[in-house]
Amino acid sequence: MALPAILTESNEEEAARLLAAYYRRTADGLPAYTGSYFNSWAGGGDSAENRDTITADDLIAVSFLSVKIPGDAAIGFLDTHKDNISGLLKEIPWDRNLVDVSSAEFPQVLGEDSAAMQLWDVLRARDTGRWGIGRTKASKIMARKRPHLIPIYDSVVAPLMGLKKSDNQWITWHGAFMADAGLSQRMRKIRDNSGIEDPISDLRVMDIVLWMHGKQRTKPALRGTASK
């Protein structure tokens, strides 16, 4: 697939503007988009003390992206399935960046039989009965725990990445980095030029820029109604 134009070198200035706009504050001091707290809330989902377990703070952080976690799922994540989830998270590298995963390594890290894919299935309760966690919510939980490795899937960004469904999403995002050797460096430049202080991952820079760009193509998002 061709990379969306907003992520190309010729549009770095506009991409930085979109990222800065996402992190701006309103006149009353509130965040224009609550999603600007997603990565940093409570020290981050990949902090040393919490990286291998889903916590209540993770579920709060996910709520900043305009989704709600049903009670049954919350109990599963925090209690009944906690040990299983923790075991899988321990097998998913927290210190790997998607751009640094080689094509040969990809099946082990993010392939069909990987711990990441197993966790995806657990979060969606495919073997234990549905509990209201679809592909978007599952991706946001996993991106909170592994922000440098797992992308977010949603209805705004997916079409811009050429995705009609979530089945091949990780392959698609990985392929974008493999096809464009300068993509990761460009995302870091966009982050630096935006002036934001949050050291978000390359994936999160891409996600925010694409989402803001996608929303501009429809109608402006209002704080409190579409916080991403």
Side-chain angles (χ1 to χ4, degrees):
M1 61 156 283
L3 196 68
I6 189 62
L7 298 179
T8 59
E9 186 175 0
S10 61
N11 286 306
E12 286 179 4
E13 184 176 342
E14 172 62 9
R17 186 193 68 79
L18 291 174
L19 184 58
Y22 186 81
Y23 273 82
R24 71 180 176 84
R25 295 291 184 125
T26 62
D28 54 5
L30 295 173
Y33 296 90
T34 56
S36 61
Y37 278 77
F38 172 68
N39 292 88
S40 61
W41 181 258
D46 60 340
S47 63
E49 61 271 25
N50 294 320
R51 65 172 60 113
D52 292 330
T53 186
I54 293 177
T55 69
D57 277 319
D58 292 326
L59 304 189
I60 292 172
V62 168
S63 77
F64 298 155
L65 301 182
S66 298
V67 297
K68 295 181 179 179
I69 304 300
D72 287 349
I75 291 170
F77 299 154
L78 303 178
D79 187 10
T80 56
H81 292 270
K82 181 177 181 178
D83 291 343
N84 186 22
I85 290 171
S86 179
L88 290 170
L89 279 170
K90 289 177 181 177
E91 295 183 41
I92 304 171
W94 61 269
D95 57 350
R96 295 294 302 275
N97 191 309
L98 185 60
V99 69
D100 296 324
V101 176
S102 69
S103 297
E105 293 176 302
F106 185 88
Q108 179 182 355
V109 178
L110 293 173
E112 288 296 322
D113 297 323
S114 66
M117 188 59 70
Q118 293 176 54
L119 179 58
W120 176 266
D121 289 341
V122 169
L123 295 182
R124 300 195 65 185
R126 283 181 164 167
D127 296 329
T128 57
R130 299 291 185 177
W131 52 18
I133 300 297
R135 56 194 182 182
T136 296
K137 292 177 183 178
S139 73
K140 289 176 178 179
I141 293 169
M142 292 188 69
R144 165 77 179 173
K145 304 312 299 181
R146 298 293 183 267
H148 296 276
L149 188 64
I150 306 292
I152 290 175
Y153 183 96
D154 70 27
S155 60
V156 176
V157 174
L160 296 176
M161 290 296 292
L163 293 166
K164 295 182 179 180
K165 54 184 180 179
S166 61
D167 293 2
N168 296 317
Q169 58 171 320
W170 298 343
I171 294 174
T172 298
W173 284 81
H174 182 256
F177 282 103
M178 295 299 99
D180 186 340
L183 180 57
S184 180
Q185 184 178 1
R186 198 154 62 247
M187 293 307 102
R188 295 171 193 179
K189 183 178 178 181
I190 289 169
R191 184 186 62 210
D192 292 343
N193 290 343
S194 73
I196 69 171
E197 296 181 359
D198 192 358
I200 55 175
S201 67
D202 303 341
L203 281 174
R204 185 64 172 140
V205 172
M206 288 179 66
D207 177 56
I208 293 171
V209 169
L210 287 172
W211 187 80
M212 291 288 282
H213 176 67
K215 296 299 286 187
Q216 280 192 348
R217 293 170 59 177
T218 53
K219 60 181 180 180
L222 299 177
R223 183 177 60 80
T225 61
S227 51
K228 182 58 169 104

